Amino acid sequence: MSAPDPQWANAWSSTVSRAEPRPTHTHATVVSRNVRVSKLDAELLDGELTQMLREPVSNALSLVRPGLAETYRLEIDTVIRAVLFWLSVGSHRRATYAQGLQNLQYARTSGFARRVHLFGILSIGGPYAWARMVGSMSLAGWADAPHTSIRALVWRLVQRIERITKVAALLNFAAFLALGQYPSIVERILGLRLVHARPQILHSVSFEFLNRQLVWHAFTEFVMFAMPLVNPMKARAWIVRNVRSVLRLPISVDQSVKELPEDVCAV
């Protein structure tokens, strides 16, 4: 059997190479774009969880001294966020509670533990320290200091840093909406990427909470409509009468009414 023509062999090789799937970066980009909504939902859920835990703590502190919770609200939020972060991401879970609900976790790379600890310090302790520093400087009157003094120069530097940080956060959010990789500047600096914990599980929207809210809203609307139509005194008498009949209790009658003659009306 003669060997195949080299031209036919080359044509066959080029055709097979074009037909085979080639690994590209398109898939990773599409996946990252598809999880943008999940990342934003996780961030909102983490904020809601912090607010839910803040309420009982504030109520407990209000019993100690009124206004104590408002005075130390920043410290309360920081402690709650730090505890939640330590119990979730800091305990080798690689995801917060909200991120776990959204089927997300941080991709494990080299130096992951060190970067996670830095992320907790910068994302939780950093805003707290900055807010307290700016508040203390404002209360001390650094903004009203003489224009050429050291305090005025430091205050203008702080204000400039705040403006630069806000602009950088806006640009980072725009990049996140376009690429879907890093929701915050700290995650971008540290290279912490959120990926699907179980890629085979599709993100499905649950309407259970919405249905519950609709049912509760309809029930409250019905109660608000029916309450003016009910006579409270008659309703109370009907309930008492039926309860006594079920429990076989004697119906109580006033003593003065019992002593009246039979031919005298109690009314």
Side-chain angles (χ1 to χ4, degrees), residues 109-135:
T109 55
S110 60
F112 176 76
R114 178 176 54 85
R115 286 189 288 176
V116 164
H117 294 157
L118 286 176
F119 175 67
I121 295 173
L122 294 177
S123 62
I124 300 175
Y128 167 75
W130 183 265
R132 278 305 178 197
M133 183 189 70
V134 174

Side-chain angles (χ1 to χ4, degrees), residues 174-248:
F176 168 72
L177 293 179
L179 303 176
Q181 291 183 351
Y182 302 103
S184 66
I185 298 178
V186 179
E187 290 174 330
R188 182 176 295 275
I189 294 174
L190 297 176
L192 293 174
R193 292 189 304 107
L194 282 171
V195 296
H196 281 303
R198 295 178 295 276
Q200 69 274 13
I201 298 180
L202 298 177
H203 178 70
S204 60
V205 180
S206 177
F207 295 97
E208 181 180 357
F209 178 75
L210 180 60
N211 295 333
R212 197 181 309 149
Q213 289 293 107
L214 291 175
V215 171
W216 177 252
H217 180 72
F219 176 73
T220 53
E221 289 289 335
F222 172 75
V223 172
M224 295 288 291
F225 170 77
M227 283 299 294
L229 305 178
V230 178
N231 190 336
M233 299 302 295
K234 290 184 177 180
R236 179 177 179 276
W238 181 82
I239 293 174
V240 171
R241 184 170 61 253
N242 283 275
V243 170
R244 287 183 175 275
S245 62
V246 170
L247 299 179
R248 301 182 182 277

